[in-house]
Amino acid sequence: MKGALIGCGFFAQNQLHAWRDIDGVEIVALCDQNEIALNASAKLFGIDQVYTDAQEMFADGGFDFVDIATTAPSHRTLVEMAAKAGVNIICQKPFAENMDDARAMVASADAAGATLMVHENFRWQSAIQSALKVVRSGAIGEPFFGRVSFRSGYDVFSGQPYLAEGQRFIIEDLGIHILDIARAFFGDVDRIAATTQRMNPNINGEDVATMLLEHHSGVSCIVDCSYATKRIPENFPQSLLEIDGSIGSLRLDAGYKLTVQTDDEITVDVSPPLLPWAERPWHNIQESVKIIQQHFVNCIRSGSQPETSGADNLKTLALVEAAYISAEHGRTVSLSEI
Ligand code: NAD
Ligand code: 89Y
């Protein structure tokens, strides 16, 4: 399977490493408007076919899928270009800047018969997958309460300066993953209520968000995110879980400790492996990049829909929109409004 990647920035380096680890896949073309970033990645990963214009890359072709690793403002144009070219698509989160764009992007891939997956990778982290396996096995019974929590003081702005600039920050950038984890455990959401705060005076958007989700399944779930939390040891980038079920409970605590309590209590270490190209503390995220990209390849090979498909991601993106509306207007928002 031959692929092309657009956007050779900060995070794409992980994607390029992970593609090299996946059997039967080769990235044959690279594109970035920034020639310095383009040439640096081309040299590092030994890729000869390079473009500063995505249109030209699609016109030349010679690949079966495209990996869109740019930031959200370019996603709609690039996804629609890829769909027109008839290639399968994996696109970074946040999938789109608004719901209208996101729906149009899904429609364009559908019309072209192309697989469209969003690089929504946090639910694919191996620690989260281990917890999902326990809950889906019924080991703690019917869940009725959840908490998915991400609290950190890690400086994300040095690697991703654009995160300090937007009017929106933590829900759109990070909360989107945490909301998606809540969906993976408890399914679709009927209503959400959210508050936001900005603790860091040097950024434009909110860096703290506290959300309450009422899932269609009946589960009440708290999703809380912060980049203003000073704690030692620093937890970045771990997502922590607390789930209560009818016959037991599950916790994923800091340090990747997974505890399941029923009549007995079992704690297992679900630390992610440190891939040869990965570095702490990012190794948790980096490992999930390889897992999600392998999932994309498996789905194309088997002709099945990715779990985190474009269509599925509309529901995660709708939660982001609903959370901002709720925080702005101080009211509970029904997802049917979005
Ligand atoms: P970045 O700014 O470092 O890199 C983006 C690159 O895309 C830049 O080099 C830019 O020149 C290029 N680009 C933009 N528009 C283009 C276009 N139309 N054609 C060609 N090149 C174009 O950004 P980043 O930090 O690497 O983030 C990229 C995306 O990855 C963001 O959406 C971000 O939210 C996401 N991200 C995801 C994770 C995760 O765990 N899934 C982690 C970090 C970042
Ligand atoms: O951009 C974000 C993401 O997707 O994961 C962590 C991050 O890099 C900073 O919040």
Side-chain angles (χ1 to χ4, degrees), residues 317-331:
L317 208 57
L319 278 172
V320 169
E321 286 304 320
Y324 281 115
I325 294 171
S326 171
E328 186 183 344
H329 298 285
R331 68 175 177 89

Side-chain angles (χ1 to χ4, degrees), residues 36-320:
I36 296 172
L38 176 66
N39 292 334
S41 291
K43 190 169 170 211
L44 193 62
F45 291 93
I47 299 163
D48 302 328
Q49 221 180 310
V50 291
Y51 301 86
T52 51
D53 180 349
Q55 199 77 263
E56 274 178 35
M57 186 179 81
F58 285 113
D60 284 357
F63 47 87
D64 315 295
F65 74 89
V66 65
D67 184 358
I68 299 172
T70 59
T71 47
S74 54
H75 287 177
R76 179 170 177 175
T77 305
L78 294 172
V79 164
E80 288 181 344
M81 232 184 248
K84 220 166 168 192
V87 300
N88 296 311
I89 307 158
I90 172 169
C91 178
Q92 258 298 349
K93 53 57 65 175
F95 183 43
E97 291 185 294
N98 57 63
M99 291 304 296
D100 285 348
D101 283 357
R103 290 187 179 112
M105 290 151 76
V106 170
S108 70
D110 280 352
T115 295
L116 170 60
M117 184 173 102
V118 179
H119 193 125
E120 182 42 79
N121 51 326
F122 273 37
R123 71 159 75 182
W124 293 100
Q125 293 169 2
S126 53
I128 301 293
Q129 287 290 315
S130 298
L132 273 169
K133 215 176 272 174
V134 172
V135 172
R136 287 173 182 170
S137 76
I140 62 163
E142 244 352 276
F144 61 88
F145 169 84
R147 178 178 177 207
V148 192
S149 178
F150 183 105
R151 311 194 77 77
S152 167
Y154 187 84
D155 171 24
V156 285
F157 308 107
S158 55
Q160 297 169 266
Y162 57 90
L163 294 178
E165 291 158 15
Q167 290 307 308
R168 291 178 167 189
F169 168 39
I170 200 169
I171 301 178
E172 181 178 81
D173 168 64
L174 184 280
I176 194 167
H177 292 303
I178 312 306
L179 290 164
D180 191 66
I181 291 175
R183 285 193 55 238
F185 278 97
F186 311 123
D188 292 345
V189 176
D190 287 342
R191 298 195 303 164
I192 184 169
T195 61
T196 56
Q197 292 151 283
R198 179 168 61 87
M199 300 305 296
N200 181 344
N202 302 317
I203 65 171
N204 290 327
E206 81 293 349
D207 53 1
V208 180
T210 309
M211 299 169 263
L212 173 61
L213 281 57
E214 184 181 323
H215 290 260
H216 195 66
S217 58
V219 174
S220 295
C221 181
I222 294 165
V223 171
D224 59 296
C225 311
S226 164
Y227 270 128
T229 302
K230 312 250 174 289
R231 62 161 83 175
I232 298 173
E234 169 56 65
N235 277 341
F236 181 85
Q238 295 178 54
S239 305
L240 309 183
L241 301 170
E242 283 177 54
I243 301 174
D244 292 350
S246 51
I247 58 167
S249 65
L250 173 148
R251 286 198 324 268
L252 178 61
D253 290 317
Y256 303 102
K257 298 278 176 281
L258 180 63
T259 301
V260 180
Q261 288 179 327
T262 47
D263 291 336
D264 302 316
E265 172 174 324
I266 302 171
T267 299
V268 284
D269 183 347
V270 290
S271 295
L274 181 66
L275 296 175
W277 48 268
E279 57 182 339
R280 294 176 194 279
W282 286 85
H283 64 301
N284 171 29
I285 291 182
Q286 288 165 317
E287 182 227 11
S288 71
V289 168
K290 182 175 165 188
I291 297 172
I292 195 173
Q293 289 180 187
Q294 182 69 66
H295 177 66
F296 177 69
V297 168
N298 294 348
C299 288
I300 291 171
R301 287 187 179 138
S302 64
S304 49
Q305 269 293 315
E307 188 176 312
T308 44
S309 67
D312 177 82
N313 201 257
L314 293 179
K315 295 180 190 174
T316 295
L317 208 57
L319 278 172
V320 169

